[in-house]
Amino acid sequence: MDPTMALLVTSFNFAQTAVSSFKANNSMLVSSFPLSLQTTFSAQSSSLFTPKLVIYSMLTRCDEMRKARQLFDSMSERDIVSWNSMISGYAQGGYYEDCLKLHRLMLETCNLTPNAMTVISVLQACAQLKDLRYGMEVHQFVIENNIEMDISVCNSVIGLYAKCGSLDYARELFETMSEKDEITYGCLMTGYMIHGYVDQAMDLFREMNCPRLSTWNVLISGLVQNSRHEVALELVREMQSFGFRPNSVTLSSILPAFSHFSNLKGGKEVHAYAIRNSLDQNIYVATSVMDIYAKAGFLNGARQIFDQSREKSVVVWTAIIAAYAAHGDVKEAVILFEAMLNHGTQPDTVTFAVMLSACAHSGVVDQAWKIFSDMYAKYSIEPISEHYACMVGVLTRAGKLSDATEFISKIPLEPSPKAWGALLNGASVFGDVELGKFVFDHLSEIEPQNAGNYVLMANIYSQAGRWEEAKTVREKLVNVGIEKIPGGSWT
């Protein structure tokens, strides 16, 4: 028999045995797979098919991370491909902590040596978590184990250091690379933009020969995030002069610039371009246009985009809820929230923050408590500082200052300046001098440069006729080097 054919037959027999054994020992797990995977499992049980292919299928097509991990854990033998599939799945799916935990488990429990593919996934997770220490350990592992520093590994290392703020080291590695691609430049430019070094990012971009659309998009997005809105718009025009047509990433990156200027006409023009080029159903484009329309007061336009969206993900639902909430229509926001639940779409942390903010602005205390309580009880979502701050806002706006004070004292996290600020604002509105002084003293320690806190406290004293104390607070405002920004006009 031909040696290649013999190898295939051996592999075929091994696969049959492995799958039969797996199915026999894991029938309950297999029955819990989505129907498409159960069908695949049955149809391919007599072909070259092993559990690691199921893992890969689940990670790439079904996002069934928990079941994929169950399948991974049930494997009697795991090769490097199996480990890499699971580690990569965690990294690509945004489960960065799980990615690092599994990487540690790999190092501690098996005799396999991580390879370049492992390293790339783990470094991606480190970069997203901004875990520089662990990332440096991985980089050291690469050097000590002579893992080839090809362009993909180098890009991952540069991405880690750039995102974590070690820009000098990232640039040093960048300069030593004999071969660079678009990703190399993009990683370093992204790092510069994240940390506010806009000019350095622009200079690096100008060094490139014939940058691709993806690199133009990196720069445009970074400019908008750094509030260089006019420069971003100019760059889009320059990009078009070189023959590039904006894609969905370009549009979703530049649309916030129109929102910043409340430029409804510009937003409509971009929306029309998106429709002509079949980009209007992209959720990031759609939600960005909805945001522009809502901020410009064109709520009917935002609702029309929502109604016409074929794929109503949680992002799209949250965008339209936020639009109504921003206009003070908490009733419609609640109706949409309930419609989303009936639609079978699960809310996320942003959805809850939007709903609680809407309740805060409308003084709907009972509704806010129900939403806040349901977060963990019904949806297993742990409240974060933003949610606690919103609840403080709900209580203070309703005049329940003692309840708000008690609530903030029981927050399991360190209360954020935003939460304390909401309480100070409540003290200002209802003239509670003693509470205001207590909160102001605390805020002076955690954010001494926030001019708004000084202004609020001075106003609290003034409203109570305590002019000398108000004067003292205003003097502190000057002494710490803060200048209150005067009002302005476009006349």
Side-chain angles (χ1 to χ4, degrees):
M1 182 182 291
D2 179 85
T4 303
M5 183 59 69
L7 179 61
L8 286 173
V9 170
T10 303
S11 300
F12 176 85
N13 291 334
F14 172 78
Q16 280 189 310
T17 304
V19 171
S20 298
S21 173
F22 182 83
K23 288 174 69 177
N25 295 321
N26 298 276
S27 57
M28 289 186 66
L29 177 59
V30 173
S31 66
S32 71
F33 291 167
L35 184 59
S36 60
L37 280 185
Q38 293 184 44
T39 305
T40 300
F41 206 105
S42 299
Q44 299 193 32
S45 60
S46 58
S47 64
L48 294 174
F49 183 77
T50 59
K52 64 188 173 188
L53 295 183
V54 179
I55 293 174
Y56 180 77
S57 177
M58 295 178 81
L59 293 174
T60 57
R61 293 193 292 120
C62 298
D63 194 28
E64 293 281 347
M65 297 299 303
R66 181 180 59 81
K67 290 171 183 167
R69 181 57 187 267
Q70 285 180 314
L71 180 51
F72 174 83
D73 290 339
S74 72
M75 296 171 66
S76 57
E77 293 185 14
R78 308 182 190 101
D79 61 11
I80 190 67
V81 176
S82 303
W83 283 96
N84 284 349
S85 295
M86 198 69 228
I87 289 172
S88 174
Y90 277 138
Q92 295 299 322
Y95 301 90
Y96 304 121
E97 293 283 2
D98 291 317
C99 175
L100 299 192
K101 287 177 184 176
L102 189 61
H103 177 248
R104 292 189 193 99
L105 184 66
M106 180 183 184
L107 294 174
E108 294 168 0
T109 62
C110 77
N111 296 322
L112 296 171
T113 301
N115 60 16
M117 291 299 297
T118 324
V119 166
I120 290 168
S121 296
V122 175
L123 286 174
Q124 177 190 347
C126 291
Q128 293 296 332
L129 293 170
K130 291 185 170 55
D131 191 339
L132 181 59
R133 178 175 294 181
Y134 197 94
M136 290 176 70
E137 291 177 7
V138 175
H139 187 196
Q140 185 66 30
F141 179 89
V142 170
I143 296 169
E144 292 175 351
N145 288 271
N146 296 315
I147 295 175
E148 182 185 358
M149 287 284 288
D150 62 17
I151 192 167
S152 296
V153 175
C154 282
N155 288 345
S156 298
V157 176
I158 289 174
L160 166 75
Y161 288 119
K163 270 202 168 181
C164 293
S166 297
L167 294 167
D168 289 342
Y169 198 90
R171 185 61 185 252
E172 182 181 337
L173 181 57
F174 174 88
E175 296 295 349
T176 63
M177 291 176 66
S178 57
E179 180 188 358
K180 303 179 182 75
D181 61 11
E182 295 279 324
I183 297 174
T184 316
Y185 281 90
C187 287
L188 189 53
M189 281 193 291
T190 298
Y192 281 138
M193 286 297 190
I194 287 173
H195 298 284
Y197 296 100
V198 177
D199 293 338
Q200 287 87 333
M202 291 289 288
D203 291 342
L204 185 62
F205 176 75
R206 297 303 181 191
E207 292 177 11
M208 298 181 68
N209 294 318
C210 304
R212 296 178 183 174
L213 179 59
S214 58
T215 312
W216 286 92
N217 286 339
V218 167
L219 201 63
I220 291 165
S221 176
L223 287 168
V224 173
Q225 289 168 15
N226 281 278
S227 300
R228 303 284 188 92
H229 301 102
E230 291 183 1
V231 180
L233 291 169
E234 289 171 6
L235 197 67
V236 172
R237 286 190 282 269
E238 181 184 345
M239 182 191 80
Q240 290 176 297
S241 73
F242 280 95
F244 291 100
R245 293 179 60 80
N247 62 6
S248 59
V249 178
T250 319
L251 299 187
S252 58
S253 297
I254 199 62
L255 278 165
F258 292 99
S259 182
H260 172 78
F261 292 118
S262 297
N263 188 342
L264 180 58
K265 181 175 181 291
K268 286 184 174 181
E269 290 174 355
V270 175
H271 187 200
Y273 174 90
I275 293 171
R276 289 195 304 272
N277 292 273
S278 302
L279 301 173
D280 56 309
Q281 288 296 320
N282 178 280
I283 62 169
Y284 301 107
V285 173
T287 53
S288 295
V289 176
M290 287 165 65
D291 181 62
I292 291 176
Y293 286 175
K295 286 180 177 176
F298 186 31
L299 199 54
N300 288 339
R303 184 57 181 261
Q304 186 176 10
I305 294 173
F306 172 78
D307 291 338
Q308 292 174 349
S309 295
R310 291 191 290 269
E311 296 291 334
K312 288 184 172 63
S313 67
V314 65
V315 178
V316 176
W317 279 101
T318 301
I320 193 61
I321 291 170
Y324 280 97
H327 283 264
D329 193 344
V330 68
K331 182 179 179 181
E332 186 62 25
V334 170
I335 289 172
L336 284 165
F337 180 73
E338 292 174 350
M340 180 186 74
L341 300 179
N342 293 333
H343 185 265
T345 303
Q346 295 293 301
D348 61 12
T349 55
V350 180
T351 317
F352 281 110
V354 167
M355 286 302 302
L356 290 173
S357 179
C359 292
H361 288 287
S362 303
V364 189
V365 178
D366 292 341
Q367 184 73 48
W369 272 123
K370 183 180 185 308
I371 291 169
F372 184 80
S373 301
D374 285 348
M375 279 186 66
Y376 187 77
K378 281 191 176 182
Y379 306 103
S380 302
I381 295 177
E382 289 278 4
I384 58 176
S385 59
E386 181 74 18
H387 302 116
Y388 288 111
C390 286
M391 277 305 302
V392 175
V394 168
L395 295 170
T396 55
R397 283 173 181 266
K400 298 177 179 292
L401 299 186
S402 58
D403 290 348
T405 305
E406 182 181 359
F407 179 83
I408 206 170
S409 69
K410 294 180 178 179
I411 294 176
L413 312 171
E414 181 65 31
S416 67
K418 189 172 181 180
W420 286 109
L423 191 55
L424 181 62
N425 186 68
S428 175
V429 171
F430 294 96
D432 192 327
V433 179
E434 295 310 312
L435 177 61
K437 186 178 184 305
F438 168 75
V439 176
F440 174 72
D441 289 343
H442 189 78
L443 282 169
S444 297
E445 295 178 4
I446 60 177
E447 52 170 16
Q449 298 298 310
N450 188 332
N453 298 332
Y454 293 85
V455 174
L456 274 175
M457 192 64 231
N459 290 343
I460 291 172
Y461 280 133
S462 296
Q463 289 167 8
R466 295 164 65 163
W467 309 112
E468 285 300 318
E469 287 156 299
K471 181 181 177 183
T472 301
V473 172
R474 290 193 177 96
E475 287 173 350
K476 285 183 180 179
L477 183 63
V478 176
N479 291 337
V480 295
I482 306 172
E483 183 178 346
K484 184 183 175 186
I485 300 172
S489 171
W490 286 97
T491 56

